[in-house]
Amino acid sequence: EDKVVQSPLSLVVHEGDTVTLNCSYEVTNFRSLLWYKQEKKAPTFLFMLTSSGIEKKSGRLSSILDKKELFSILNITATQTGDSAVYLCAVDGASGSRLTFGEGTQLTVNP
Amino acid sequence: EAGVTQFPSHSVIEKGQTVTLRCDPISGHDNLYWYRRVMGKEIKFLLHFVKESKQDESGMPNNRFLAERTGGTYSTLKVQPAELEDSGVYFCASSQDGWLAGDTDTQYFGPGTRLTVL
């Protein structure tokens, strides 16, 4: 059975700090890894990673995938209170595009 | 462009009752997915429609759950009769091409329906 593990499960930082969120996976037929941000309701899409070593960036957020070691990291630099959310990692590893999710990392950024 | 919408946002019912959740995907998206998050657990896949056809329903927990997507547009998920363990947040997601494109297509999520069974 496919499995995704995120760490830490919870993280509290101060504004301006840099954070690194981790996601490891065990899946068959890996196709992609996705990061989502969930603030109150709908998880919103951040990144899709399919190739090792290629960093994806969007503003202060960046992510990279290591397909040999089966993990991904999500970095957030110069954190702001608006970055407070649950960050979800999901992997598409089976036929039919079903996503397998980790439990998520609850990030709290204090002023 | 409107995102994925779900109705209702919250439903409270008693054990044994029936509830129907609705999902309207992004216009033009052939692929529609249902997921569920129960308390303290990760989001888990329930089923996948391609247009009006069920592509994968291996995640449906039991035959008390019935999903439909008549006409290939919106979808409903009916729980009948509801049990206490059905409580959780039910998410719907849609994507344009999905597995048919031979590659992962981004799934966009709705805000979820929080179901509470008393």
Side-chain angles (χ1 to χ4, degrees), chain A:
Chain A
E1 186 175 318
D2 296 348
K3 188 176 181 181
V4 176
V5 177
Q6 293 187 243
S7 64
L9 294 181
S10 179
L11 186 58
V12 180
V13 301
H14 289 103
E15 266 192 319
D17 289 350
T18 293
V19 298
T20 298
L21 310 183
N22 303 292
C23 175
S24 63
Y25 62 90
E26 296 175 23
V27 296
T28 54
N29 303 319
F30 175 89
R31 294 202 292 182
S32 67
L33 184 145
L34 298 92
W35 286 97
Y36 290 86
K37 176 183 180 183
Q38 185 178 20
E39 293 180 78
K40 290 181 182 177
K41 296 278 189 175
T44 54
F45 172 75
L46 295 175
F47 299 112
M48 178 191 290
L49 303 158
T50 56
S51 301
S52 275
I54 299 175
E55 185 181 53
K56 293 269 182 106
K57 287 198 70 157
S58 177
R60 296 175 293 102
L61 277 67
S62 64
S63 184
I64 198 162
L65 174 68
D66 185 329
K67 291 169 73 173
K68 182 179 177 184
E69 300 297 329
L70 307 183
F71 78 90
S72 173
I73 60 172
L74 175 68
N75 279 319
I76 308 175
T77 59
T79 52
Q80 302 171 356
T81 55
D83 295 327
S84 296
V86 175
Y87 290 83
L88 298 165
C89 174
V91 176
D92 178 356
S95 61
S97 298
R98 60 190 293 176
L99 296 179
T100 299
F101 281 85
E103 285 189 66
T105 294
Q106 171 72 63
L107 174 65
T108 302
V109 181
N110 290 323

Side-chain angles (χ1 to χ4, degrees), chain B residues 11-21 62-66 77-87 90 115-118:
Chain B
S11 180
V12 181
I13 61 173
E14 293 194 352
K15 176 183 171 180
Q17 289 186 322
T18 297
V19 63
T20 300
L21 314 181
N62 52 60
N63 59 9
R64 295 185 293 103
F65 289 75
L66 176 64
L77 179 65
K78 181 191 287 188
V79 185
Q80 180 183 30
E83 298 289 344
L84 298 179
E85 64 264 25
D86 301 332
S87 295
Y90 290 76
L115 175 64
T116 303
V117 182
L118 302 176

Side-chain angles (χ1 to χ4, degrees), chain B residues 50-94:
Chain B
V50 177
K51 297 184 180 179
E52 67 276 6
S53 300
K54 291 177 186 174
Q55 179 65 34
D56 179 359
E57 53 184 326
S58 60
M60 294 287 263
N62 52 60
N63 59 9
R64 295 185 293 103
F65 289 75
L66 176 64
E68 295 181 323
R69 193 183 182 196
T70 306
T73 54
Y74 71 91
S75 174
T76 58
L77 179 65
K78 181 191 287 188
V79 185
Q80 180 183 30
E83 298 289 344
L84 298 179
E85 64 264 25
D86 301 332
S87 295
V89 181
Y90 290 76
F91 291 101
C92 176
S94 71

